[in-house]
Amino acid sequence: MIQAILFAAALQTAPAPAPPPAIDCADADHSAFNFWIGDWDVSATGTETVVARSVISSTAGGCAIEEDYRQTVGPGGVATTYHGVSFSAFDARRGGVWRQFYMDSGGSVTVFEGGLRGDAMVLEAPGRGGGVQRMTVSPQADGSVRQRGESTTDGGASWTPGYDFTYRRR
């Protein structure tokens, strides 16, 4: 009983923990990927055929970007139902890098890391067999955004092209 009274007294006299400091995610580092925010029709670069829709929005009080990617046309024009979701954020605590957590309807999960190179967001992730996957997302002069994927298995001496999409506002 005495222990309970002492514990209750300690709770009453202990100061409340301070709330975490507010972060202003409107700075240049946190908003570097905002050019990708929008409701987009996605086509293979160089074509007008829409193969997917991607809705990319600001979330977590402007501190992160959420992507909802739904592809209905696959390679060769074959119907598909591919769905991918990603969350991207600037991570000041890990050396000031951008990180993206991507997962898809095939059960794949990929964690990318990188940052701005010029006007483009360049993110890399470990690939199969010790290789590296690279995703480059870059704003275009006409207001569209181009997203390219490529991979390397030789430490970056050569890169193999993967996908190449152009995002146009709906």
Side-chain angles (χ1 to χ4, degrees):
M1 180 70 171
I2 293 176
Q3 289 176 336
I5 293 171
L6 291 174
F7 180 70
L11 286 178
Q12 291 174 1
T13 60
I23 295 174
D24 179 7
C25 293
D27 64 36
D29 289 329
H30 286 90
S31 58
F33 211 178
N34 285 359
F35 66 84
W36 199 32
I37 294 172
D39 188 355
W40 306 93
D41 284 328
V42 181
S43 304
T45 297
T47 73
E48 297 295 321
T49 303
V50 175
V51 299
R53 179 177 185 186
S54 188
V55 177
I56 301 163
S57 56
S58 177
T59 189
C63 292
I65 294 173
E66 178 179 358
E67 174 191 25
D68 184 6
Y69 178 88
R70 295 178 185 267
Q71 187 167 340
T72 56
V73 179
V78 176
T80 190
T81 53
Y82 176 84
H83 183 202
V85 176
S86 73
F87 292 92
S88 303
F90 179 73
D91 191 346
R93 292 185 183 134
R94 289 201 54 191
V97 299
W98 272 87
R99 296 181 47 116
Q100 183 185 85
F101 186 79
Y102 184 86
M103 56 248 119
D104 70 17
S105 55
S108 293
V109 176
T110 308
V111 180
F112 290 91
E113 191 170 281
L116 279 180
R117 291 188 194 165
D119 289 340
M121 183 63 68
V122 181
L123 304 170
E124 295 182 349
R128 294 188 179 112
V132 175
Q133 298 177 63
R134 180 166 61 193
M135 172 178 51
T136 302
V137 184
S138 52
Q140 304 297 295
D142 65 359
S144 66
V145 172
R146 185 174 180 188
Q147 183 183 43
R148 293 179 295 121
E150 51 196 342
S151 60
T152 184
T153 57
D154 59 12
S158 62
W159 291 89
T160 302
Y163 60 87
D164 188 350
F165 293 121
T166 297
Y167 289 53
R168 292 181 185 88
R169 294 195 187 275
R170 291 177 64 95

